[in-house]
Amino acid sequence: MLSAVIFDFDGIIVDTEPLHYKAFQELLVPLGLGYSWEEYLDLYIGFDDRDAFREAFRVHGRPLADAELRELIKGKAEAFLDIVSVGVAPYPGVVELIRSISGNLPLALCSGALKSDIEPILAQLGLTEAFDVKVTADEVAASKPDPESYRLAVQRLQERFPGKVDAACTIAVEDTPAGIASATGAGLKVLAVTNSYPRERLTGACRVVNSLSGIDLEGLRLLV
C-alpha cells in the first residue's frame, strides 16, 4: 500500500529552473564565472545553491572561502526573490494532485532549494499548509543526488505519523536524474516527469509521464 508521497519542488511544482539560472548568472557573470543554459542543465541543475557555487568556482580553478560563499548564497536568494515576485505559474495538474493527497496521506516536500525561495511561491499557489513535512537545502549537508534529503523527509514523516510510513511504500515525484538517484538511494519509488529532461534520461523511475495533469491519488497507488 502507498504510505506517503514526497514532492520535489523546482521542475515539479513550478518551472523555476530558468529563474534560478538567471539569478545565478546575476552573481556569477560579473565574476567571470557565468555559464550557458545548456551547462546549467548538464551540470548544475541537481545542486543546491551551496554546491552550485562551489562547482562554478571549481570548474574555473578558483578558490572559494566560506565567507564569500555565504555572501553569494545571500545575494542569489535576494535576486531570486526579486525575479519571482511578479508571480510564478505551476505546472499543469500539480496543485490539484497535491491538494488531493493532502490530508489523505502523509505528504512531504523535499527540495534542493532554500526555504526562503520556496515559501513565497507556495504562498502564491495556496499550498503553504498542504505539506506535513518540508525538507530544504538549509537543513542538509549534501545536495541531491545524495540521498540525505529524502532520508530526512522519510524520517520526519515517520516521526509525524508513527507506524504509518514505510520508505519502500513511498513515492517521490521527481524531474531530474539527480533527484531520482537521491530518492531511490533512500529506498523510495519514483514517478518521474519530463519537465526538465527527456524520458531516456530519467532511468531508475518506476514510471515516467509527460505531465502530472490527469494523475490522481489512485494512479499513484498503482505504482507501489
Side-chain angles (χ1 to χ4, degrees):
M1 289 181 61
L2 179 62
S3 65
V5 182
I6 305 177
F7 281 80
D8 180 32
F9 182 72
D10 293 319
I12 286 294
I13 297 178
V14 286
D15 185 15
T16 51
E17 295 299 355
L19 310 183
H20 282 291
Y21 171 74
K22 182 178 179 182
F24 275 123
Q25 299 319 297
E26 287 188 17
L27 276 293
L28 291 171
V29 168
L31 300 175
L33 300 175
Y35 46 79
S36 69
W37 172 245
E38 289 72 22
E39 288 176 289
Y40 179 77
L41 291 178
D42 287 341
L43 185 58
Y44 295 95
I45 194 172
F47 291 138
D48 60 21
D49 289 0
R50 173 188 51 215
D51 288 340
F53 279 121
R54 285 173 176 165
E55 184 67 11
F57 275 72
R58 186 198 67 78
V59 165
H60 288 85
R62 298 256 296 267
L64 177 59
D66 288 345
E68 185 178 6
L69 176 59
R70 286 193 293 270
E71 287 302 309
L72 287 168
I73 291 171
K74 179 182 176 183
K76 190 265 179 177
E78 291 171 352
F80 182 79
L81 287 178
D82 285 342
I83 293 167
V84 302
S85 63
V86 297
V88 180
Y91 279 104
V94 68
V95 171
E96 294 80 4
L97 178 58
I98 290 169
R99 287 177 176 161
S100 73
I101 299 168
S102 183
N104 291 309
L105 275 180
L107 178 63
L109 186 74
C110 181
S111 174
L114 296 169
K115 182 179 181 181
S116 60
D117 292 346
I118 293 170
E119 292 294 350
I121 296 175
L122 292 181
Q124 288 180 22
L125 301 179
L127 296 177
T128 299
E129 304 300 327
F131 296 95
D132 302 300
V133 165
K134 298 170 190 169
V135 173
T136 62
D138 318 65
E139 303 172 277
V140 295
S143 58
K144 302 172 185 179
D146 191 283
E148 180 186 2
S149 58
Y150 272 105
R151 285 176 179 157
L152 181 57
V154 170
Q155 177 188 326
R156 288 184 175 174
L157 285 174
Q158 290 171 336
E159 292 169 352
R160 180 81 179 268
F161 301 94
K164 294 185 178 180
V165 176
D166 178 2
C169 297
T170 297
I171 298 276
V173 185
E174 272 286 353
D175 69 308
T176 68
I180 294 171
S182 177
T184 57
L188 282 66
K189 294 178 172 62
V190 178
L191 170 65
V193 190
T194 59
N195 289 338
S196 304
Y197 285 88
R199 181 177 295 266
E200 58 268 20
R201 293 286 303 277
L202 301 176
T203 56
C206 293
R207 183 182 175 191
V208 181
V209 296
N210 295 327
S211 171
L212 291 176
S213 183
I215 302 294
D216 58 16
L217 183 52
E218 291 309 309
L220 292 179
R221 294 185 198 277
L222 295 176
L223 297 179
V224 177

